[in-house]
Amino acid sequence: MITARAAERARTLEELPAYVHDLTSLDAHARAVRAALPDRVELYYAAKANPAPELLTALAPHVSGFEVSSGGELAHVRKAVPRLPLAFGGPGKTEAEIALALEAGVERFHVESEQELRLLAALASPRHAAEVLLRVNLPLDAAELGGAALAMGGRPSPFGLDPDRVKACLPLFAGDGPLRLRGIHAHLASGLDAAAQLAVASRIADWTRDVEARHGLDLTEVGVGGGMAVDYARPAERFDWTAYGEGLRALADRHPRRTLRVEPGRALTAYCGWYVTDVLDIKHSHGEPFAVLRGGTHHMRTPAAKGHSHPFTVLPRENWTRPWPRPGVRDTPVTLVGQLCTPKDVLAARAPVAELRVGDRVAFAMAGAYAWNISHHDFLMHPPPSFHYLT
């Protein structure tokens, strides 16, 4: 669950907690993902998963561009990787953010509503034109969403346009105005396996073809979103990029005039990061053991946000210089918690361990996405973790 290089670094860190990212591992994974996809499929990285400049730079040789969801992300990613295209998505874009994106020459706008499209039309100009994909919330049945860890569409949602509202948007693209409709975008669910992802992608592409024919449009792009499954309960498993690529190749052959675009985030970077900390205390409460760790969910919110026990590896440390017996547990389930004054500060619940002692280190795997960047850093004002990038 932890690479040899990352484990070596984790054992020697002086400042804990810490994030350790193996950029060599990330490079190899991104290279394999890109190789599995057809040439006609563009690969964008959803920067919201982890916007660290070091990760963006490592991904840059393998991706077609980056998807950003705020003015802050836009400016940050443009600075870190200035030469790659950006797609600007997300609901609730402000006037200032749209103006910034136009001035920055953002390559694609994923427009979420009629109001947003009208605001974009009012701010765009011949000098700062806007290339648009309309984000559409296509309906999905329960079977299609059955495996989703998170549903952003397919049901009532703040994301995207209802399909029957696309027609009302079309007059804003008329003539030689500053808005150009390039295609349709849909990101409907996260946590789907390759077969389910392909079924959703096919649904989006076929719907794009139908709406093009119905309204006499020329739609050259289809964005099918991201959300490839990442299974924290089975950290050794991976999304089947080979099967997904083969399915997208067949889909692209059915839609030969269109560019397909995928936008994974978590599935690209989750596996390259570890949150490393140490055990401060081991105590028993009503017969159950608890290991209190330095740090907690204010540094890595993933287990609290997803409601799971996070996978981890114990890195034993043998030196014990205290004049009292070393607290520990052996061959028993233990709950790993942080330092916060809330019972929700749980990183792993009743997790089996061969041995865990005060002073041992713990490396939580799959911490390369939606970890530090979604956490409530200032709660209780503990010091932040240190960050380390292995190249």
Side-chain angles (χ1 to χ4, degrees):
M1 290 188 354
I2 184 169
T3 65
R5 297 170 71 249
E8 180 183 0
R9 187 61 178 272
R11 289 189 177 95
T12 59
L13 290 169
E14 295 184 2
E15 293 183 43
L16 294 176
Y19 274 96
V20 176
H21 293 88
D22 189 337
L23 299 184
T24 302
S25 172
L26 175 61
D27 177 85
H29 178 54
R31 188 184 305 276
V33 169
R34 178 62 265 182
L37 299 176
D39 292 340
R40 284 183 49 213
V41 174
E42 293 184 343
L43 174 64
Y44 274 55
Y45 171 63
K48 65 178 73 67
N50 188 334
E54 293 83 357
L55 270 67
L56 300 178
T57 302
L59 288 168
H62 311 296
V63 300
S64 311
F66 294 89
E67 188 265 339
V68 298
S69 298
S70 73
E73 277 193 352
L74 190 161
H76 172 83
V77 176
R78 189 63 105 192
K79 180 180 179 181
V81 279
R83 292 176 295 280
L84 285 177
L86 299 183
F88 187 19
K93 299 180 187 71
T94 67
E95 184 172 348
E97 286 177 319
I98 292 174
L100 172 67
L102 289 167
E103 181 67 30
V106 163
E107 284 73 13
R108 292 293 181 270
F109 287 83
H110 296 167
V111 171
E112 298 262 351
S113 71
E114 294 169 71
Q115 153 70 10
E116 183 183 309
L117 186 63
R118 294 183 186 282
L119 185 58
L120 179 60
L123 294 172
S125 66
R127 180 169 174 264
H128 293 123
E131 310 282 346
V132 174
L133 301 186
L134 292 177
R135 180 173 180 176
V136 180
N137 181 5
L138 299 179
L140 297 176
D141 60 34
E144 290 171 306
L145 284 174
L150 197 63
M152 279 70 67
R155 58 182 64 169
S157 163
F159 304 105
L161 292 150
D162 279 354
D164 60 5
R165 298 309 303 168
V166 169
K167 181 179 179 180
C169 294
L170 299 181
L172 289 170
F173 296 99
D176 297 325
L179 300 189
R180 298 159 189 160
L181 179 59
R182 296 303 186 194
I184 298 297
H185 178 271
H187 177 43
L188 303 175
S190 290
L192 299 178
D193 64 18
Q197 282 281 6
L198 287 168
V200 171
S202 179
R203 178 77 171 274
I204 298 166
D206 290 349
W207 188 88
T208 301
R209 176 199 60 207
D210 294 344
V211 80
E212 178 187 59
R214 189 180 323 94
H215 298 294
L217 303 173
D218 181 19
L219 303 179
T220 58
E221 300 176 18
V222 181
V224 299
M228 292 71 188
V230 171
D231 192 342
Y232 290 90
R234 299 174 179 84
E237 292 191 6
R238 299 288 188 273
F239 182 81
D240 192 342
W241 287 102
T242 300
Y244 186 59
E246 291 171 354
L248 287 181
R249 184 172 288 104
L251 184 60
D253 289 342
R254 281 174 37 213
H255 297 269
R257 294 190 304 104
R258 275 184 266 282
T259 297
L260 301 179
R261 183 176 301 127
V262 299
E263 297 167 359
R266 190 191 309 266
L268 280 182
T269 61
Y271 305 102
C272 79
W274 292 265
Y275 176 63
V276 183
T277 187
D278 57 347
V279 181
L280 298 177
D281 195 3
I282 291 181
K283 56 201 291 188
H284 287 75
S285 178
H286 295 273
E288 288 197 24
F290 289 80
V292 182
L293 311 183
R294 195 187 308 270
T297 57
H298 57 303
H299 288 170
M300 190 180 70
R301 190 165 175 77
T302 319
K306 293 184 71 66
H308 70 231
S309 288
H310 210 83
F312 62 90
T313 298
V314 176
L315 303 174
R317 289 173 68 83
E318 298 307 325
N319 55 319
W320 178 255
T321 59
R322 303 294 187 183
W324 54 83
R326 186 177 189 178
V329 292
R330 180 177 293 176
D331 296 325
T332 186
V334 59
T335 295
L336 280 63
V337 303
Q339 295 174 284
L340 301 183
C341 300
T342 168
K344 295 185 177 181
D345 189 21
V346 177
L347 296 163
R350 298 181 177 89
V353 295
E355 186 175 40
L356 185 65
R357 304 162 298 179
V358 171
D360 284 339
R361 296 190 172 189
V362 179
F364 289 92
M366 302 172 75
Y370 296 108
W372 167 251
N373 61 310
I374 66 163
S375 302
H376 48 303
H377 307 155
D378 292 334
F379 184 47
L380 294 195
M381 298 186 181
H382 286 293
S386 57
F387 293 85
H388 307 268
Y389 301 92
L390 309 181
T391 59

